[in-house]
Amino acid sequence: MSFFRFLFSKTFLIQLVLAVFAVVLIAFIILQWLDYSTNQDQRITVPSLERLSLDKVDEQLAELDLRREILDSANYNPDFPPYSVIDQVPLPGKEVKENRKIYLTLNPSGFTKVEIPENLIRRTRRQVEPTLRSLGFEIGTITYKPDVAKDVVLEMRHRGQLLEPGMKLMKTSKIDLVLADGSRRYGMEEEEDSTAQDPILNDLEDEEYDF
């Protein structure tokens, strides 16, 4: 009976209230510490780093308590300065916690060189142009030469220089194409020249006219 009396005694009630208050206080302190340590209420707006050099990027990120990591450089973009930022993750305007890492993609110093593939000569224009464009080249001027075939690539040139398979050019270089015009003049001219230079054929023609 003494135990039940103690449960309803003033002393027990005071101790119970103190225990509950202590638990609530400890829980409040723990939550506040977690909130502080994880920066739940602190958000940093990611700035736009596009076109900035690494020196400028480091200055901005240091002021905001952010970090950076460089990803592999993408293909050269002539619209951006060399070694400047062309892409970033997270994007500008996103809110992050302090010490967050910002992933950056830099613009290389220039275009890479691409090798001229084989088996393009004597191919049709419809076959060659998509192949060159897929490699990053641009199609320049189109000229024609006498040949039996029609729109077949006879030569490829860059700034007047004849291109051979295996040669390397910078991406976006303009390649001029020399195409066949589909006429037979070239073969006919050769035939006429050979006839004019053959004295035997000329003599036979003269004898026929004598009869």
Side-chain angles (χ1 to χ4, degrees):
M1 294 297 294
S2 59
F3 176 73
F4 290 103
R5 288 180 181 177
F6 175 74
L7 291 179
F8 293 101
S9 65
K10 185 177 180 181
T11 302
F12 175 76
L13 292 176
I14 293 174
Q15 290 179 350
L16 181 61
V17 171
L18 291 175
V20 172
F21 177 77
V23 170
V24 172
L25 180 62
I26 292 173
F28 177 78
I29 293 174
I30 292 175
L31 290 175
Q32 289 297 316
W33 178 81
L34 289 174
D35 186 57
Y36 174 79
S37 63
T38 57
N39 297 316
Q40 291 294 326
D41 295 329
Q42 185 173 3
R43 290 289 186 272
I44 300 172
T45 301
V46 177
S48 176
L49 305 175
E50 186 178 282
R51 296 180 176 274
L52 296 183
S53 65
L54 280 182
D55 291 338
K56 296 294 184 181
V57 168
D58 289 338
E59 290 178 6
Q60 286 203 24
L61 295 185
E63 293 176 357
L64 298 172
D65 293 325
L66 298 174
R67 298 178 296 151
R68 66 167 171 85
E69 181 172 329
I70 305 300
L71 302 178
D72 291 337
S73 296
N75 292 330
Y76 178 67
N77 189 332
D79 296 331
F80 288 76
Y83 301 114
S84 65
V85 177
I86 60 176
D87 193 22
Q88 67 179 83
V89 177
L91 296 175
K94 294 288 186 179
E95 292 187 345
V96 297
K97 300 176 185 178
E98 80 173 33
N99 206 35
R100 171 67 186 272
K101 187 178 291 185
I102 309 299
Y103 297 91
L104 306 176
T105 302
L106 300 184
N107 197 28
S109 60
F111 288 113
T112 56
K113 286 191 173 183
V114 181
E115 186 174 302
I116 301 296
E118 299 181 357
N119 304 322
L120 294 183
I121 302 300
R122 306 303 301 186
R123 292 287 184 91
T124 65
R125 179 180 179 180
R126 290 185 177 181
Q127 293 173 315
V128 173
E129 286 191 356
T131 300
L132 294 178
R133 288 195 176 99
S134 67
L135 295 172
F137 297 120
E138 296 181 8
I139 305 302
T141 59
I142 305 295
T143 56
Y144 291 88
K145 286 178 62 174
D147 192 89
V148 177
K150 176 66 175 177
D151 283 338
V152 167
V153 175
L154 303 178
E155 297 176 1
M156 295 186 298
R157 294 181 176 272
H158 175 65
R159 295 181 178 177
Q161 180 185 7
L162 183 65
L163 298 178
E164 300 289 346
M167 296 177 65
K168 291 186 177 181
L169 290 178
M170 301 295 287
K171 273 191 174 183
T172 74
S173 296
K174 288 187 177 181
I175 296 181
D176 302 325
L177 301 180
V178 180
L179 306 179
D181 61 5
S183 71
R184 293 184 175 272
R185 287 181 297 166
Y186 184 76
M188 292 174 64
E189 288 172 359
E190 283 189 342
E191 185 178 348
E192 291 174 357
D193 291 341
S194 62
T195 302
Q197 296 174 3
D198 192 337
I200 299 176
L201 292 177
N202 292 335
D203 292 341
L204 290 174
E205 290 177 357
D206 293 339
E207 291 177 0
E208 290 178 0
Y209 285 115
D210 291 340
F211 287 113

